[in-house]
Amino acid sequence: MNEEKTGEPTGAEAADGENLSQGPQPRPRRRRRRIVIIVAAALALLLLPVLAAETALRLNYTGDPAKGTQTRNRDAVWLGHAWVDGRKTDKDVTALARRLQGTGIRDLYVHSGPLEHDGTLPESAYPKARWLIRAVHRELPGIRVQAWLGDKLAGETPDGLHLERAATRTAVVASTRRILAAGFEGAHFDLEPLHSGDSDYLSLLDDLRALTHAHHALLSVAAHQIDPLPAFHSFWGATTGHPKWWSQAYFGQVARRVDQIAVMSYDTMQPLESLYGGYVAQQTSLALEVTPDTTDLLMGLPFYHENRFGHWAHAETVPAAVRGVRLGLSRTDADRARFGVALYVDFAATEADWRAYRKDWAG
């Protein structure tokens, strides 16, 4: 009779098992190759959506703008604080009048802040406002002067303007009442970073609109860009802590509460002119879809030149922005009357920026 196996290997079996356990092993080079393949595959999965989105932007930049998609004489320009703090003179206003002659600019957003973190604004922040308004009306009849007010919002950092505080919102309204009393024909607000869905901001706009309309003045805002992909602000906020974009629905909620909304369509992280122009075309279409006909929609043009993360001067150019604006307008609402561009900002602009604006848009 054969003996039952007890589970203990015999000598031969032990030798065979030892050979199997120590049998052909992957070489270090082969192992490294496998790791490289896995990493490359993972990167491809991550980059594929980005490449697809960038390809879509490039395609969005193709084609020809429709005829007539140029200025509606509702454009605006952001002006620096020097215009209200005493650094500018009558000679500067005369030069500005020559600069703007024959363009479509109707509104000047003159920096008159910033607001204090509690929402107050001392009159010492805009000592020459009355002089400027009189001088503009003399040299540039029909041009409106609005006070550009802003501040950093608390939320991502502990310090800043707390919109969730009713007392702060009340102070902002009181500050606006005083700047209107100084002669400004409107109040233009740029509060950042403003997260999509902020209901306290909407409440503030409701109060400001009641005030400005009672004074026959304008309420305008600088607006964040709209999600280039659905819910992108949520994804970006979760990964970076800074949800740069607004949802399209929230943009519409803001647009319905103001007389003018100017999209800050720059600082887009796009590396090429064609991609930036395609991005602006997309932003123009997205904004047009939700901005009521009773609100002026303005798309921002980059009249400044910096190179840093988020903004590349060789890509974000005025010609690319204007072409993008015209393409978006052509595809979405070519005949819209209450539409324009806003130039950011006067003190950083070059002659080339002004020529491109005149040639491609104001011309």
Side-chain angles (χ1 to χ4, degrees):
M1 271 184 86
N2 292 333
E3 294 182 3
E4 292 184 12
K5 293 192 176 183
T6 61
E8 294 281 334
T10 64
E13 290 173 327
D16 288 341
E18 186 176 336
N19 289 338
L20 286 171
S21 64
Q22 297 179 358
Q25 299 292 312
R27 295 180 180 178
R29 184 179 299 174
R30 190 177 301 169
R31 188 181 296 114
R32 285 195 299 270
R33 188 179 303 152
R34 289 177 181 174
I35 293 172
V36 169
I37 292 172
I38 292 170
V39 171
L43 287 174
L45 288 174
L46 291 173
L47 291 176
L48 191 59
V50 176
L51 292 174
E54 295 293 81
T55 300
L57 292 181
R58 180 63 185 87
L59 293 173
N60 213 27
Y61 195 58
T62 59
D64 296 318
K67 290 183 178 180
T69 50
Q70 291 176 291
T71 188
R72 274 82 164 128
N73 297 312
R74 291 179 177 271
D75 303 334
V77 58
W78 280 281
L79 300 180
H81 201 80
W83 291 95
V84 293
D85 69 4
R87 283 177 284 171
K88 296 292 187 179
T89 66
D90 286 330
K91 185 182 297 184
D92 295 302
V93 177
T94 301
L96 179 65
R98 286 197 301 268
R99 170 73 75 189
L100 301 186
Q101 186 176 10
T103 70
I105 291 176
R106 187 182 183 188
D107 287 283
L108 309 179
Y109 301 144
V110 185
H111 191 268
S112 306
L115 295 164
E116 300 293 334
H117 287 346
D118 62 0
T120 60
L121 180 67
E123 291 187 8
S124 58
Y126 49 95
K128 295 293 184 178
R130 294 182 185 277
W131 161 80
L132 174 66
I133 295 165
R134 287 194 300 268
V136 168
H137 288 169
R138 181 183 68 246
E139 298 286 344
L140 291 158
I143 299 293
R144 299 176 298 202
V145 185
Q146 300 191 46
W148 166 17
L149 304 175
D151 192 21
K152 180 181 73 171
L153 292 178
E156 295 181 15
T157 58
D159 61 321
L161 192 74
H162 286 266
L163 284 182
E164 75 279 6
R165 297 174 182 170
T168 300
R169 299 196 301 273
T170 299
V172 173
V173 174
S175 297
T176 306
R177 185 179 292 108
R178 283 192 290 273
I179 63 104
L180 295 179
F184 284 107
E185 294 155 286
H188 175 81
F189 285 89
D190 176 17
L191 302 175
E192 303 179 48
L194 183 57
H195 294 183
S196 183
D198 190 323
S199 59
D200 296 314
Y201 181 60
L202 299 181
S203 177
L204 174 64
L205 292 180
D206 288 335
D207 294 339
L208 289 170
R209 184 179 178 87
L211 171 67
T212 54
H213 282 204
H215 286 75
H216 306 288
L218 297 169
L219 174 61
S220 63
V221 295
H224 288 32
Q225 297 157 29
I226 300 173
D227 282 334
L229 298 171
F232 197 66
H233 71 279
S234 298
F235 163 77
W236 196 261
T239 54
T240 69
H242 173 60
K244 172 184 174 70
W245 292 268
W246 286 353
S247 72
Q248 190 183 36
Y250 186 68
F251 186 97
Q253 289 180 295
V254 173
R256 289 191 292 273
R257 286 170 164 81
V258 299
D259 300 300
Q260 295 177 332
I261 185 165
V263 184
M264 295 181 285
S265 39
Y266 34 75
D267 292 349
T268 65
M269 296 182 283
Q270 298 304 319
L272 301 173
E273 265 192 309
S274 58
L275 298 179
Y276 172 62
Y279 184 92
V280 172
Q282 181 201 45
Q283 288 291 308
T284 302
S285 293
L286 291 171
L288 281 167
E289 289 170 357
V290 292
T291 302
D293 292 338
T294 53
T295 301
D296 285 350
L297 171 63
L298 297 99
M299 303 303 298
L301 303 185
F303 269 46
Y304 66 103
H305 305 267
E306 298 177 1
N307 287 298
R308 51 177 168 74
F309 178 75
H311 182 94
W312 302 105
H314 68 271
E316 297 196 15
T317 67
V318 175
V322 171
R323 177 173 166 77
V325 167
R326 294 187 64 198
L327 286 169
L329 183 62
S330 301
R331 293 164 183 159
T332 313
D333 193 357
D335 297 323
R336 182 185 173 98
R338 302 184 75 100
F339 185 86
V341 297
L343 324 179
Y344 182 84
V345 58
D346 73 310
F347 55 79
T350 66
E351 290 298 326
D353 295 331
W354 284 104
R355 283 195 302 270
Y357 162 70
R358 283 180 173 274
K359 173 179 176 291
D360 298 335
W361 179 255

